Amino acid sequence: MTSLASVPRPRDQIQGARPPSVERLLGHQVAASLIETFGRTAVRDAVREDLAAIRARAEGVPDEAAILAAVEGRLSELSRASLRPVFNLTGTVLHTNLGRALLPPEAAEAVSAVMTGAANLEFDLATGERGERDDHVEALICRLTGAEAAIVVNNNAAAVFLVLNALAMRKEVVVSRGELVEIGGSFRVPDVMARAGCRLREVGTTNRTHLHDFDEALGPRTGLVMRVHPSNYEIRGFTAQAREDELGALCRARGVPLAVDLGSGSLVDLAAHGLPPEPTVRAALAHADLVTFSGDKLLGAVQCGIVAGRTDLLRKIRKSPLKRALRVDKMTYAALEATLRLYLNPERLAERLPTLRLLTRKAEAIDAQARRLAPEVARRRSDRLGFP
Ligand SMILES: *Cc1c(COP(=O)(O)O)cnc(C)c1O
C-alpha cells in the first residue's frame, strides 16, 4: 500500500468516484460525433469496454472527456485495416512475408472489373452453357508453356498435394534423396507425400542420384516419379543427377508419369534478361508429363498454383474432389489472366511486369534510389534503423 500511495496519480483521475453510466457518456456532444462516424453499436460497445477496463484497473475514474478520448482511440484502432501497404526495403523482390509478387496495373483493373458484379466465371458466353473456370486461363498457359492442358489451384503447395493425391494415392512416389527439401513455412516434401496418401520411395544419395537408381526403383507399385526443384538451397561439389531427357524417356518406357515441382517456374528465359538461369516451364515439359509452379513467384501474378501438362493426367486430377476444395475464385483468375496476357508481348515484358522490372533494375538505379530515400527513412525511423 505504501509504495502504491507514493505513485502520483494523473490529475484527471478522480479517487473513489464511480464510473459514469454508458447512457450518460453516450449523451455527450463528443459521443454524438463518434456515433455519426462509427455507428451507435460500435460506440456503445467501445464505451462499455473502456468502462470495464477502468474498473479492472481499479486506479480511480478518469473524467468523462478522458474516457471519451480513450473511446475514440479504441474506435480508430478498430477501424484501422490490419493488412495494409508497406515499403519493401529488404532488397528481396519476391518476399513471402511482404506478399510476394507486385501485380501489374492490368491485373488490378481486371480484378476490380469482376469483383463487384456478376462475371462469366463458369459460364460459356459462346455457347450459353455452363463453362469451366479454368477455361479463362488454360489456353493462355498452354500457349506460353507448350502444355496440353492446365488447371489452377490455391497455391503451388496445393498443386503438388493434388497431383500426388490424384495420381499416386496408396502408391509409391519415387524421388531423389537430394530433392527431399523443405521449402519453408512447413512445406516439406516427405510430409506432403505422406499427407497425400503416397508412399515415398527415396532413391540415390543426398549428393548423387543416377538414372539406374530410378530404373531399379520403378515397379508395379510406382504411381509417379517426382522431381523437386531445390528452390532455396544448392548441392555443390561431387554431385550427380539423372539427366532430365533420360529420366523422361525411362518413365515413358515404363509407363509411369514424371511430375516436376518447379516452385517458381519461370515462363521466360531469365538468362536472356541478364539474370541467373531458372528452369522454364516449357523446358521442363519437354521431358516431364506434368509441371507444378507458383503464380506469385517469378510468374509475377497472384497467389495460386498451376498444374500444366498431359491432358489425360489433368482429366484425372480434375475429377478429384480435392480440386474443388482447392479451387480459386474469380479475382484470382482475373489477375492471373491479365498477367499472363502481358507475356504475349515478350518484348515489353520487362517493362510491364513488375517482378521482372524489379529483378532487372540496374544496380546504379537501385543505389541512386536508396541514397534518395535514406535520409527521409532515417529521419522518420531513427529509433529503429541505422544508416552508416
Ligand atoms: C515455393 C515452392 C513451393 C510452394 O509454393 P507456394 O506457391 O508457396 O505454395 C513448392 N515447391 C517448391 C519447389 C517451391 O519453390
Side-chain angles (χ1 to χ4, degrees):
M1 246 6 251
T2 41
S3 66
L4 258 186
S6 66
V7 177
R9 303 248 178 218
R11 254 180 303 149
D12 59 0
Q13 308 234 326
I14 304 153
Q15 291 306 303
R18 286 163 53 82
S21 73
V22 174
E23 282 315 311
R24 184 180 159 80
L25 287 164
L26 290 180
H28 269 274
Q29 190 59 46
V30 182
S33 84
L34 291 178
I35 288 169
E36 184 69 30
T37 311
F38 299 102
R40 189 172 177 84
T41 303
V43 177
R44 190 198 55 210
D45 290 351
V47 166
R48 283 187 182 148
E49 284 165 21
D50 204 67
L51 291 176
I54 290 167
R55 285 191 207 96
R57 281 200 302 272
E59 289 175 353
V61 177
D63 66 27
E64 292 177 9
I67 296 178
L68 286 166
V71 165
E72 182 170 12
R74 278 174 191 276
L75 289 163
S76 332
E77 187 61 36
L78 211 64
S79 62
R80 188 169 192 213
S82 166
L83 181 61
R84 50 185 184 250
V86 297
F87 292 103
N88 176 1
L89 304 178
T90 63
T92 302
V93 170
L94 294 168
H95 198 300
T96 297
N97 304 145
L98 300 179
R100 290 200 187 159
L102 311 185
L103 291 170
E106 288 84 351
E109 281 154 27
V111 172
S112 92
V114 299
M115 68 192 288
T116 52
N120 62 333
L121 180 62
E122 290 185 352
F123 189 81
D124 187 333
L125 291 172
T127 63
E129 294 182 2
R130 194 168 182 276
E132 276 282 334
R133 55 180 68 206
D134 282 321
D135 286 352
H136 301 291
V137 292
E138 184 173 23
L140 272 171
I141 295 170
C142 292
R143 175 186 283 266
L144 295 167
T145 64
E148 292 172 6
I151 59 162
V152 181
V153 288
N154 181 59
N155 55 15
N156 188 36
V160 173
F161 186 76
L162 178 62
V163 165
L164 288 167
N165 180 266
L167 301 181
M169 187 164 67
R170 289 191 278 274
K171 292 188 179 158
E172 284 182 1
V173 177
V174 180
V175 189
S176 161
R177 283 203 165 85
E179 297 177 359
L180 294 173
V181 295
E182 173 176 316
I183 305 293
S186 76
F187 185 90
R188 289 175 153 191
V189 173
D191 297 349
V192 173
M193 291 206 180
R195 289 297 176 125
C198 308
R199 255 168 298 142
L200 172 60
R201 176 79 188 260
E202 301 174 35
V203 296
T205 60
T206 305
N207 57 328
R208 290 173 74 82
T209 302
H210 307 278
L211 188 67
H212 65 79
D213 294 320
F214 286 98
D215 190 18
E216 286 153 21
L218 293 182
R221 286 188 295 272
T222 314
L224 196 68
V225 172
M226 193 155 144
R227 297 205 79 156
V228 183
H229 181 50
S231 301
N232 49 9
Y233 90 121
E234 233 181 300
I235 299 179
R236 270 184 294 186
F238 186 56
T239 65
Q241 272 194 343
R243 275 176 41 179
E244 275 180 42
D245 55 343
E246 290 177 357
L247 184 59
L250 173 70
C251 290
R252 249 188 325 280
R254 306 287 287 271
V256 176
L258 171 62
V260 179
D261 176 22
L262 275 185
S264 237
S266 185
L267 296 188
V268 293
D269 178 13
L270 291 184
H273 291 274
L275 294 165
E278 266 292 314
T280 65
V281 177
R282 186 181 287 279
L285 279 173
H287 308 294
D289 300 295
L290 284 178
V291 169
T292 49
F293 54 102
S294 286
D296 57 353
K297 289 185 180 170
L298 282 174
L299 195 143
V302 70
Q303 180 193 299
C304 64
I306 297 168
V307 187
R310 256 167 57 188
T311 306
D312 59 327
L313 298 176
L314 277 155
R315 195 175 302 128
K316 269 194 200 168
I317 294 171
R318 272 201 186 95
K319 283 198 195 129
S320 161
L322 274 177
K323 165 67 169 86
R324 172 68 168 74
L326 300 171
R327 78 181 185 186
V328 296
D329 81 338
K330 57 181 182 285
M331 293 191 276
T332 300
Y333 283 106
L336 180 61
E337 183 189 356
T339 308
L340 289 172
R341 285 194 191 290
L342 299 182
Y343 283 86
L344 297 177
N345 185 351
E347 290 78 19
R348 290 193 58 197
L349 190 66
E351 147 209 348
R352 295 167 77 193
L353 186 73
T355 296
L356 195 55
R357 186 169 67 231
L358 291 170
L359 286 172
T360 54
R361 280 178 82 195
K362 297 270 173 290
E364 304 82 68
I366 298 170
D367 186 73
Q369 187 188 34
R371 284 176 198 287
R372 209 162 57 241
L373 289 176
E376 184 63 12
V377 174
R379 192 175 68 73
R380 293 184 187 215
R381 307 309 312 234
S382 53
D383 52 329
R384 302 270 303 274
L385 289 177
F387 285 94

